[in-house]
Amino acid sequence: MTPAEAASPSSHTPSGAAAKPRTVMQVLPSLVTGGVERGAADIAAALTAAGWRAVVVSSGGPMVHEIERVGGIHVTLPVDRKNPFIMRKNVRALADVIAAHGVDIVHARSRAPAWSARAAARKSGIPFVTTFHGTYNFSNPLKKAYNAVMAGGDLVIAISEFIGRHVMENYGVAAEKVRVIQRGIDTETTFNPDKVSAERIIQLSHAWRLPDGAPVIMLPGRLTRWKGQSVLIEAARRLGRQDVRVLLVGDDQGRTGYREELEDQIARIGAGGIIHLTGPCRDMAAAYMLSDVVVSASTDPEAFGRVAAEAQAMGRPVIATAHGGARETVIEGETGWLVPPGDADGLARALRAALAMTPGDREAVARRAREHIVRNFTKPQMCAATLAVYEELLAARPR
């Protein structure tokens, strides 16, 4: 939908106030891929299922069809742009969308669009809520001031207890304004071992040319330095096993220099036959099922750590770094191991322990891991908690 179409009356606009469904407008830079986008799509589906109306504003992307497939409305605007002139123009465009669709709440999920979205919400006299999806670097006062818009909602959703503390300690947000809603995993249809066929696993194994019987160590994540791929490569060297396969699964997203660094590191230690950069994977559930152990070696703290949660939902033991959201999703000694960030020796020791587990040990870890995720980190739980925040904002709105 174009901005002009969004700003004019349409079949989506109810004819009478009494019949008007409650409407939430989520604003984010784009709908390409990632946790922010996944969360927006999940909430759009939950809103329409609950009889609300979901409007999503972004610069577009392949996930637009997911919004429209569940009955949501997508409006394309250049909200991904950081140019102050364009951001100022976006205020008026967003206010027009709010008026055209009778939006009741504006929900911003990223910094650049949040500046425009907050101004539009204030202009329209409706509640404004943010989701704090990351720690956001603030190496200087100007950057911190730019980030602060994400702490400026009437309520602030934090995606982990770790992020909740970060918001309060670094941005002075009062505890009563913070709502911790941890990310939700689709444990029913996507990340459910019972839903992954043998054919899918075999197909992926063949695509990656995995030898029969080779233990598989997998680190999923885009190829960026802080995800810790180089730490795992060094840990694999110290592990000293020639029978394993180490898979670095993820897209370089144009970071060809870092990819070349990793390839050089692998070549220097003579591990070209053991460690492989697979590129992106479209069937992560099957990838997890192929793995004997899943690693999240992030050297910076993960705001939540979706990989650790997804892997546990699939019954895989996890090794993660002992900071950030992983301290909430991984139970040390029960569902996996936590090691210091950047510690290749510690990671190698944890790999030895994981690979040495007996079948009985693995079965027990798988059961505990999946039960932990299903109990605490499911998509329905996340969606219900988010809709409860919307209800709270509407209940507090002056009439």
Side-chain angles (χ1 to χ4, degrees):
M1 178 180 294
T2 67
E5 290 169 334
S8 62
S10 71
S11 59
H12 296 297
T13 304
S15 58
K20 175 188 173 300
R22 292 170 292 182
T23 303
V24 176
M25 182 176 81
Q26 299 182 84
V27 188
L28 65 161
S30 64
L31 282 164
V32 181
T33 184
V36 175
E37 292 88 338
R38 181 77 269 143
D42 289 343
I43 294 304
L47 285 167
T48 57
W52 294 46
R53 192 163 49 174
V55 176
V56 177
V57 180
S58 83
S59 64
M63 288 179 67
V64 167
H65 81 278
E66 290 199 35
I67 303 300
E68 296 174 339
R69 179 173 54 82
V70 299
I73 301 163
H74 181 265
V75 178
T76 303
L77 286 172
V79 289
D80 59 330
R81 303 288 295 278
K82 297 180 181 179
N83 181 297
F85 177 72
I86 295 175
M87 291 168 70
R88 198 157 44 242
K89 287 183 66 176
N90 283 337
V91 175
R92 181 65 203 176
L94 289 170
D96 288 345
V97 175
I98 290 169
H101 293 287
V103 171
D104 297 292
I105 295 170
V106 173
H107 183 172
R109 292 182 173 273
S110 187
R111 291 165 291 176
W115 283 100
S116 302
R118 182 173 69 171
R122 298 293 183 250
K123 183 181 180 73
S124 306
I126 62 174
F128 174 68
V129 61
T130 61
T131 292
F132 222 98
H133 280 279
T135 54
Y136 308 129
N137 171 47
F138 54 92
S139 53
N140 60 68
L142 188 62
K143 191 67 177 286
K144 188 171 183 180
Y146 174 65
N147 298 344
V149 67
M150 298 306 293
D154 299 313
L155 294 176
V156 178
I157 297 172
I159 67 169
S160 63
E161 296 285 354
F162 162 67
I163 290 295
R165 291 190 297 272
H166 175 82
V167 170
M168 290 184 284
E169 292 169 3
N170 292 286
Y171 295 92
V173 179
E176 56 266 26
K177 287 184 62 176
V178 177
R179 302 291 181 270
V180 174
I181 303 177
Q182 287 151 321
R183 299 299 81 192
I185 306 303
D186 180 1
T187 59
E188 291 300 316
T189 58
T190 304
F191 297 106
N192 182 343
D194 295 335
K195 301 292 185 179
V196 180
S197 67
E199 288 78 11
R200 285 166 59 187
I201 299 171
I202 293 168
Q203 183 179 29
L204 192 56
S205 179
H206 286 167
W208 287 343
R209 299 178 182 178
L210 298 177
D212 290 341
V216 174
I217 301 164
M218 182 175 69
L219 189 158
R222 63 189 182 277
L223 298 188
T224 187
R225 199 175 306 279
W226 73 272
K227 288 293 186 179
Q229 288 92 353
S230 63
V231 180
L232 177 57
I233 293 170
E234 176 58 22
R237 184 187 72 80
R238 300 183 188 196
L239 182 64
R241 288 182 55 165
Q242 300 300 307
D243 62 327
V244 301
R245 290 297 180 270
V246 178
L247 305 179
L248 306 179
V249 179
D251 193 352
D252 63 22
Q253 297 179 329
R255 301 180 187 89
T256 55
Y258 180 59
R259 183 186 183 94
E260 289 167 2
E261 284 183 36
L262 295 176
E263 291 170 342
D264 289 345
Q265 184 183 1
I266 293 167
R268 281 198 309 272
I269 65 174
I274 297 171
I275 305 175
H276 304 289
L277 281 71
T278 70
C281 175
R282 294 189 176 185
D283 192 352
M284 283 306 302
Y288 289 128
M289 292 297 286
L290 272 176
S291 305
D292 292 272
V293 57
V294 175
V295 175
S296 174
S298 302
T299 54
D300 292 347
E302 294 275 2
F304 172 71
R306 186 175 288 271
V307 163
E310 290 174 351
Q312 289 176 90
M314 298 302 293
R316 303 299 99 174
V318 170
I319 303 171
T321 40
H323 56 180
R327 296 174 67 90
E328 300 167 41
T329 58
V330 180
I331 305 175
E332 170 70 35
E334 293 189 26
T335 68
W337 294 262
L338 293 169
V339 300
D343 184 352
D345 270 337
L347 180 52
R349 286 193 297 272
L351 287 170
R352 290 190 189 97
L355 296 175
M357 286 193 297
T358 66
D361 292 337
R362 294 188 64 84
E363 184 178 341
V365 168
R367 183 182 66 253
R368 290 194 298 264
R370 180 162 172 81
E371 286 174 353
H372 171 54
I373 299 303
V374 169
R375 187 167 56 248
N376 298 294
F377 306 106
T378 65
K379 184 167 69 173
Q381 290 168 328
M382 176 192 72
C383 291
T386 303
L387 266 63
V389 168
Y390 297 156
E391 294 276 13
E392 183 181 358
L393 285 165
L394 292 177
R397 186 179 179 182
R399 297 185 182 278

